[in-house]
Amino acid sequence: MQLYRDDGIVLRTQKLGEADRIITILGRTSGRVRAVAKGVRRTKSRFGARLEPFTHVDLMLHTGRSLDIITQAEVIRPYGAPLVGDYPRYTAGVAMLETAERFTPVEKEPALRQLLLLIGGLRALGDAEHAPGLVLDAFLLRSLAVAGYAPALQECARCGAPESGTQGSGTPESEAQGSEAQGSEAQGSVLRSGRRLPAFAVAAGGMVCASCRPPGAASPAAPTVALMLALLRGDWDGADRSERRHRVECSGLVAAYLQWHLEHSIRSLRHVERV
């Protein structure tokens, strides 16, 4: 068996037999890995407590036939410690773990950008500088951007017609990585625009113009669209100033858009408090 080393975030655990667990990890170099931790459910286990969800761990593993085997685990940072006593932050964190797993469907396919997004999101939840709902929605939008599914927010998703008053939107990837100053300018352009895109169509890929608007498309408020753009670009000053009603509307659009593109529901989202 080949021995290798990696570090990553524990996404979830499953019982196996009487004393073992299957640990799902999003690794830095190996991508998503499922590995067996033998004997970790015994009270005398050497590293059972180190392999809990939210934990950033440094691992030694043996390559197995179907599942790898964890032989050593050291904690780098337990991101779950500040979350377990705070229900809104805990449920947001669980939704982030589940989403990260859904965005890495192929085992052992490197997904460094997704891991770095997850680490940043968990750190932000633990630092408690922003509302957990905003941190979660920012993580979801940026995960979509990394996967190539960033929603169109400044031009029609179908015909590409720009919203009046904007200077172009750039690529989805650049939106996800934009600076705070760029995010503030973009948010202002949406609010100042004389003729805004009137609807958000999940299946179309984002905002659409009146000519391309399909039946059943949502009609979000301008500040809601501005909030989505701010979260995508990292404009936390603008996001923190947003009103509750716009945060709730933004969360609904983001959740619907995410699950449409994943073609799978994120079960933990139903437990997230939207306040």
Side-chain angles (χ1 to χ4, degrees):
M1 293 189 294
Q2 182 180 359
L3 182 67
Y4 69 97
R5 182 177 183 176
D6 202 358
D7 72 281
I9 299 290
V10 178
L11 300 180
R12 65 187 175 103
T13 65
Q14 300 167 264
K15 293 180 180 179
L16 178 66
E18 295 183 357
D20 305 338
R21 275 201 177 104
I22 298 174
I23 313 296
T24 302
I25 307 124
L26 182 57
R28 186 176 298 272
T29 59
S30 305
R32 184 172 62 84
V33 176
R34 296 173 71 239
V36 176
K38 293 184 177 295
V40 294
R41 290 162 57 199
R42 296 194 182 103
T43 55
K44 296 183 179 180
S45 170
R46 293 177 299 162
F47 49 77
R50 304 172 193 174
L51 296 172
E52 293 297 325
F54 299 110
T55 307
H56 189 184
V57 288
D58 185 6
L59 302 172
M60 293 292 292
L61 305 97
H62 274 299
T63 302
R65 293 183 179 179
S66 58
L67 295 171
D68 293 350
I69 300 172
I70 298 172
T71 60
Q72 183 177 333
E74 297 294 336
V75 174
I76 297 175
R77 181 168 175 175
Y79 288 105
L83 306 183
V84 293
D86 188 320
Y87 182 79
R89 296 186 186 281
Y90 177 79
T91 52
V94 171
M96 291 166 65
L97 296 183
E98 184 180 353
T99 300
E101 184 171 3
R102 294 297 178 189
F103 269 114
T104 52
V106 180
E107 289 191 31
K108 295 192 175 181
E109 183 175 279
L112 178 59
R113 293 179 69 186
Q114 184 64 57
L115 173 65
L116 295 178
L117 276 177
L118 181 59
I119 291 175
L122 294 177
R123 182 184 298 117
L125 281 178
D127 291 343
E129 295 181 358
H130 310 289
L134 292 179
V135 175
L136 173 60
D137 287 339
F139 171 79
L140 299 180
L141 284 167
R142 295 179 193 185
S143 294
L144 284 161
V146 166
Y149 299 130
L153 299 174
Q154 291 184 283
E155 70 285 323
C156 177
R158 284 188 168 176
C159 69
E163 182 174 37
S164 64
T166 61
Q167 300 296 323
S169 61
T171 63
E173 289 77 9
S174 66
E175 289 182 351
Q177 300 171 354
S179 68
E180 182 174 323
Q182 290 173 323
S184 299
E185 293 172 2
Q187 183 181 21
S189 68
V190 174
L191 294 173
R192 293 192 303 268
S193 173
R195 178 173 57 82
R196 60 183 294 266
L197 298 170
F200 186 93
V202 170
M207 299 300 293
V208 291
C209 63
S211 300
C212 297
R213 178 174 186 165
S219 299
T224 298
V225 181
L227 175 58
M228 293 177 69
L229 193 56
L231 293 174
L232 188 61
R233 290 186 163 181
D235 174 19
W236 285 107
D237 287 339
D240 289 337
R241 289 195 302 267
S242 61
E243 298 180 18
R244 179 185 180 278
R245 57 195 176 102
H246 299 135
R247 295 183 185 186
V248 172
E249 186 176 37
C250 172
S251 295
L253 293 176
V254 171
Y257 188 81
L258 169 75
Q259 292 174 106
W260 169 271
H261 284 285
L262 285 178
E263 298 183 350
H264 197 285
S265 64
I266 302 297
R267 292 179 295 177
S268 51
L269 281 178
R270 72 187 69 170
H271 302 295
V272 175
E273 287 190 352
R274 298 301 188 179
V275 295

